[in-house]
Amino acid sequence: MNPLRPLLLLLPLLAALPARTQEKGSALAFFESDVRPVLVQRCVACHGPSGASAKIRLDRPIDAATARRVLAAVRGDGPAAMPPSGRLPAAQVAAIGKWVAAGAPFPAATG
């Protein structure tokens, strides 16, 4: 067996790493520009450090099932339409949907 064969098999995986890193970076940038502002303005007062209504906190990472529940709520499809102060604009609901479809990426905590 050629001693380089294992390395050759890894080349496609290694080549994909920069693309995945870039995808993750753009997903996080999208979160920061289009999703986090909505969460901060309309959600974190009830779903943040000072309260976790329905046991959901939106100031930190959430799992896929919770992300789907959040999306259903902001679409008005769930048992409780959110936010209670009134529906989000369609563009904000779409942004949350795109975020959830991307796996609900959330920046790692720093500091």
Side-chain angles (χ1 to χ4, degrees):
M1 180 167 128
N2 183 344
L4 295 177
R5 187 162 192 246
L7 292 175
L8 293 174
L9 294 174
L10 288 175
L11 281 176
L13 296 173
L14 294 174
L17 285 177
R20 290 189 188 271
T21 301
Q22 185 177 15
E23 286 174 16
K24 184 177 180 183
S26 66
L28 291 175
F30 175 78
F31 171 79
E32 292 293 354
S33 66
D34 291 58
V35 177
R36 187 189 298 268
V38 176
L39 298 179
V40 169
Q41 291 173 348
R42 302 290 299 270
C43 306
V44 171
C46 296
H47 299 282
S50 61
S53 184
K55 299 180 182 178
I56 296 174
R57 288 204 41 192
L58 297 175
D59 61 328
R60 59 186 182 191
I62 57 176
D63 62 33
T66 302
R68 288 189 300 271
R69 284 178 51 207
V70 168
L71 180 57
V74 299
R75 284 182 173 163
D77 297 337
M82 291 288 138
S85 60
R87 292 191 64 140
L88 296 175
Q92 292 178 343
V93 173
I96 291 171
K98 182 177 175 180
W99 173 62
V100 170
F106 205 99
T110 58

